[in-house]
Amino acid sequence: MNDMTPSVSLSDVATCDLHNELIKREGVTAVFLGPDDKITKTVHGPAWIIVNRD
């Protein structure tokens, strides 16, 4: 175990809590879409696209 290893297992953390923490971070952009919304977006990488429907 090194200093970078989390002291808590992230599998025990609720998805909504992970999401709420991530959207606070610099470099993270959150876009909310309602059930009837659609979006076309151009993203210049590097980037990860994570779809959270939880």
Side-chain angles (χ1 to χ4, degrees):
M1 189 184 275
N2 63 36
D3 292 336
M4 299 299 292
T5 304
S7 59
V8 63
S9 172
L10 294 179
S11 62
D12 296 333
V13 180
T15 302
C16 63
D17 293 335
L18 292 170
H19 172 86
N20 289 335
E21 180 59 34
L22 282 172
I23 64 175
K24 295 177 194 174
R25 303 290 176 100
E26 184 177 338
V28 174
T29 301
V31 178
F32 176 77
L33 299 176
D36 297 323
D37 294 334
K38 295 180 182 181
I39 190 171
T40 300
K41 182 93 174 163
T42 301
V43 177
H44 298 281
W48 286 88
I49 308 300
I50 299 174
V51 178
N52 177 2
R53 295 182 185 214
D54 190 15

